């Protein structure tokens, strides 16, 4: 049965079988599937690394590569013994798709071989659809003044190319859904390839009906409905989810869920957070000087930036959208330009002074060390910059609860920068006019940003993320496997 691992006795028996008869295809298939299951046991949970570590799971880099290589070797031995075996071709296609290192040519070759012998092979259809979806180009579309040279060079062409490939993926997923109509993730993936159509809406509804307790499936469906501007249907889905107690609050919908974390606030008021603000406020003049010098030195005269783009720059007086590759793609609508410069990144939440880029700002590193001494566990620090005349970042939320600090580094005169939170509260950046210079908010609460200023003017803030202290005492969260990850595919098909 798929997902049920072999016992030690059965495993030993199959090993003896292939030792006695190297041409025992069934033995090699059983050993290959078991190696794939074992190496995928803890891969790709939808959880922050510090939670995965606390749960005792080990990542693929530690234990998966050897098992994946063993799985490939055994499945190839099965095919050497029985070259036309559709099931072995399908299993190898899955391993080549989802187990590192991924091998697209292996997926295409073995999925095609499986489907030529069994046109309804669900694992082969899934492997091939996933490979083609991963090959989708990152695509942008734009409305408004979209002829600007910095945007038009290729973005529209990639969007057209993506739509063609999406139709190929959709055709494969239709066959997979026909073969396994009970799988919610296949319906959600097919809906994602069909855009905002009525058929996509019905597929999303049926996916939620099949997996009503999956925060991943329900959360993905709601994001699709938000992107495709279906507020009524999204509202109905949200109210039904709240009625099932999937989440407690309509504006707080983390995918990693702590049932005991009840006192959720969009703007946490813990004493330790107040003390942490004090540590950064006391250093703010030095932090501003150091970080603005570092940021400006990386922003070249031609507008190029030696850092991270939050999204592809959108031309002035335009609205853009961006879609990532994958069976369950992320989509966003936005305007303007958003840049980030990383200072510190330690996702296990263990303060490591050597991991902080003191060359960018020694004072920021000193502030991080100070809040670590208070007992906070910093995850990352960065500079975030948005550009005039207008930048808009759509409603979004972190997958898990995380407290984020903003401290304003630079805000042009007359500019307005507003963080709108999902509980209908808002925070204005800046010390003037009722604004706030430094503050904390919960990144898992839905929020959006609007910024307006003169053309080319920039608002910059220091961002610091920490683990909410309450979560360290809240026990284990509810964590799901990422759909179409190695662990999910092993459970479904191996």
């Amino acid at each position: 049965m798929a997902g049920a691992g072999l016992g030690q006795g059965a495993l030993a028996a199959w090993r003896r079988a292939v030792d006695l008869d190297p041409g025992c295809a069934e033995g090699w298939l059983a050993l290959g599937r078991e190696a794939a299951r074992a190496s995928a046991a803890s891969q790709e949970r939808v959880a922050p690394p510090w939670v995965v570590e606390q749960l005792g799971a080990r990542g693929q880099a530690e234990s998966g590569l050897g098992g994946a290589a063993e799985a490939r070797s055994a499945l190839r031995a099965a095919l050497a013994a029985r070259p036309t075996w559709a099931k072995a071709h399908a299993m190898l296609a899955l391993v080549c798709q989802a187990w590192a290192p991924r091998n697209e040519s292996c997926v295409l070759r073995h999925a095609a071989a499986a489907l030529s012998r069994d046109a309804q092979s669900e694992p082969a259809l899934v492997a091939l659809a996933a490979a083609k979806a991963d090959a989708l180009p990152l695509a942008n579309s734009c409305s408004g003044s979209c002829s600007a040279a910095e945007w038009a060079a290729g973005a529209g062409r990639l969007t057209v190319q993506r739509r063609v490939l999406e139709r190929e993926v959709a055709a494969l997923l239709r066959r997979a859904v026909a073969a396994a109509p009970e799988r919610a993730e296949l319906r959600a993936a097919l809906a994602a390839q069909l855009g905002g159509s009525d058929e996509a809406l019905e597929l999303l509804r049926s996916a939620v009906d099949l997996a009503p307790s999956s925060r991943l499936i329900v959360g993905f469906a709601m994001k699709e409905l938000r992107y495709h501007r279906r507020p009524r249907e999204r509202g109905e889905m949200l109210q039904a989810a709240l009625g099932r107690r999937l989440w407690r609050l309509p504006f707080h919908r983390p995918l990693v869920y702590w049932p005991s974390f009840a006192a959720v606030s969009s703007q946490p008021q813990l004493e330790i957070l107040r003390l942490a603000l004090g540590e950064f406020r006391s250093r703010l003049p030095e932090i501003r000087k150091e970080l603005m010098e570092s940021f400006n030195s990386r922003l070249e005269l031609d507008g190029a930036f030696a850092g991270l783009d939050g999204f592809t720059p959108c031309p002035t007086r335009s609205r853009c959208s961006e879609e990532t590759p994958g069976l369950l793609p992320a989509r966003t609508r936005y305007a303007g330009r958003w840049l980030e410069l990383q200072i510190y990144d330690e996702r296990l939440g263990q303060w490591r002074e050597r991991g902080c880029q003191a060359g960018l700002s020694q004072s920021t590193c000193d502030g991080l060390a100070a809040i670590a001494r208070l007992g906070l566990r910093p995850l990352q620090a960065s500079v975030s910059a948005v550009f005039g005349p207008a930048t808009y970042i759509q409603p979004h939320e972190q997958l898990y609860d995380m407290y984020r600090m903003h401290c304003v580094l630079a805000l042009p005169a007359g500019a307005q920068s507003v963080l709108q939170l999902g509980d209908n509260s808002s925070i204005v950046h800046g010390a003037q006019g009722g604004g706030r210079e430094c503050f904390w908010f919960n990144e898992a609460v839905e929020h959006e940003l609007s910024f307006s200023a003169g053309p080319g003017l920039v608002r910059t803030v220091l961002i610091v993320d920490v683990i909410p202290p309450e979560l360290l005492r809240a026990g284990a969260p509810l964590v799901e496997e990422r759909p179409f990850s190695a662990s999910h595919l092993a459970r479904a098909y191996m």
Side-chain angles (χ1 to χ4, degrees):
M1 184 176 67
L6 295 175
Q8 289 300 313
L11 184 62
W14 282 121
R15 290 195 183 281
R16 286 195 299 273
V18 298
D19 285 342
L20 292 171
D21 178 10
C24 178
E26 292 83 356
W28 286 118
L29 180 69
L31 293 175
R33 294 171 72 175
E34 182 63 21
R37 274 192 293 260
S39 63
S42 61
Q43 291 183 44
E44 297 195 58
R45 297 191 191 196
V46 180
W50 67 269
V51 169
V52 174
E53 184 183 58
Q54 285 189 341
L55 293 174
R58 291 294 176 261
Q60 186 174 328
E62 296 177 36
S63 62
L65 286 174
E70 183 180 345
R72 287 183 175 88
S73 177
L75 292 170
R76 288 190 175 105
L79 288 170
R82 193 185 299 177
T84 61
W85 198 4
K87 180 182 286 188
H89 280 292
M91 294 298 105
L92 185 51
L94 276 180
V95 171
C96 289
Q97 166 57 28
W99 279 251
R102 289 186 170 95
N103 185 330
E104 184 181 7
S105 64
C106 169
V107 180
L108 299 179
R109 181 169 67 255
H110 290 287
L115 293 170
S116 69
R117 295 163 176 85
D118 177 5
Q120 300 306 311
S121 170
E122 182 194 345
L125 289 167
V126 170
L128 189 54
K132 288 182 175 290
D134 287 346
L136 292 171
L138 178 73
N140 296 81
S141 58
C142 183
S143 60
S145 304
C146 302
S147 60
E150 68 269 22
W151 181 85
R157 175 180 53 79
L158 288 178
T159 300
V160 172
Q161 180 185 347
R162 182 186 177 100
R163 298 296 173 253
V164 172
L165 293 173
E166 281 175 339
R167 287 194 287 272
E168 295 180 16
V169 175
L172 293 165
L173 288 171
R174 286 188 194 282
R175 293 164 62 186
V177 168
E182 75 283 0
R183 293 204 186 277
E185 70 276 12
L186 294 179
R187 291 173 178 265
L190 176 55
Q193 313 308 314
L194 299 177
S197 66
D198 289 342
E199 182 186 3
L201 172 61
E202 291 308 312
L203 283 163
L204 291 172
R205 284 173 169 161
S206 64
V208 169
D209 288 343
L210 288 167
S213 61
S214 170
R215 292 177 180 84
L216 290 176
I217 294 296
V218 178
F220 176 78
M222 289 177 55
K223 287 181 179 180
E224 285 289 285
L225 294 175
R226 177 169 63 192
Y227 180 83
H228 293 298
R229 299 189 174 97
R230 291 204 179 242
R232 179 177 61 81
E233 293 87 346
R234 181 177 180 273
E236 292 170 353
M237 191 174 290
L238 174 58
Q239 289 305 312
L242 293 171
R244 297 193 300 274
R245 299 187 182 278
L246 211 57
W247 296 290
R248 291 190 184 90
L249 299 169
F251 56 82
H252 178 250
R253 304 180 304 279
L255 300 187
V256 181
Y257 188 69
W258 276 266
S260 61
F261 186 40
V264 175
S265 170
S266 64
Q267 300 178 56
Q269 301 296 319
L270 300 179
E271 175 65 12
I272 194 173
L273 298 180
R274 187 188 67 79
L275 294 173
L277 284 184
E279 294 290 350
F280 280 98
R281 283 197 182 106
S282 67
R283 296 173 170 84
L284 202 50
E286 293 81 8
I287 289 174
R288 279 197 177 110
K289 179 177 183 297
E290 294 166 1
L291 285 181
M292 292 310 300
E293 287 179 356
S294 295
F295 177 82
N296 290 330
S297 71
R298 284 159 175 76
L299 188 63
E300 305 296 337
L301 293 177
D302 63 358
F305 182 66
L308 299 174
D309 276 294
F311 40 60
T312 302
C314 189
T316 302
R317 297 183 299 280
S318 302
R319 283 292 178 108
C320 296
S321 61
E322 189 163 278
E323 303 172 75
T324 66
L327 286 175
L328 300 175
R331 310 184 205 265
T332 183
R333 297 185 188 277
Y334 64 98
R337 190 180 186 193
W338 169 28
L339 300 177
E340 288 199 348
L341 177 63
Q342 196 83 47
I343 305 164
Y344 180 73
D345 189 9
E346 215 310 300
R347 299 295 170 159
L348 292 177
Q350 304 293 342
W351 166 246
R352 290 181 172 84
E353 185 174 359
R354 288 181 297 177
C356 191
Q357 298 192 56
L360 296 178
S361 172
Q362 180 63 58
S363 300
T364 300
C365 295
D366 292 343
L368 292 171
I371 69 171
R373 287 193 295 270
L374 290 173
L376 288 174
R377 294 176 58 176
L379 294 166
Q380 75 94 27
S382 60
V383 176
S384 177
V386 290
F387 287 66
T391 291
Y392 171 72
I393 303 174
Q394 73 169 15
H396 62 287
E397 59 281 324
Q398 182 57 265
L399 299 177
Y400 51 90
D401 287 284
M402 182 175 73
Y403 291 161
R404 171 163 288 185
M405 184 193 78
H406 276 193
C407 270
V408 177
L409 300 175
L411 183 68
Q416 185 172 49
S417 179
V418 180
L419 187 70
Q420 181 72 44
L421 300 168
D423 62 354
N424 292 321
S425 65
S426 61
I427 304 172
V428 177
H429 287 100
Q432 305 300 318
R436 292 161 67 183
E437 188 173 47
C438 292
F439 58 86
W440 291 96
F441 69 99
N442 187 341
E443 176 75 0
V445 167
E446 184 177 88
H447 55 284
E448 60 186 300
L449 177 82
S450 298
F451 173 69
S452 59
L457 296 180
V458 186
R459 183 231 68 187
T460 55
V461 298
L462 168 64
I463 289 176
V464 174
D465 295 333
V466 301
I467 298 172
E470 306 98 308
L471 294 189
L472 299 175
R473 304 183 296 272
L478 302 178
V479 178
E480 294 182 55
E481 294 169 329
R482 191 179 300 278
F484 307 109
S485 66
S487 55
H488 166 255
L489 294 175
R491 182 172 53 83
Y493 301 113
M494 295 293 180

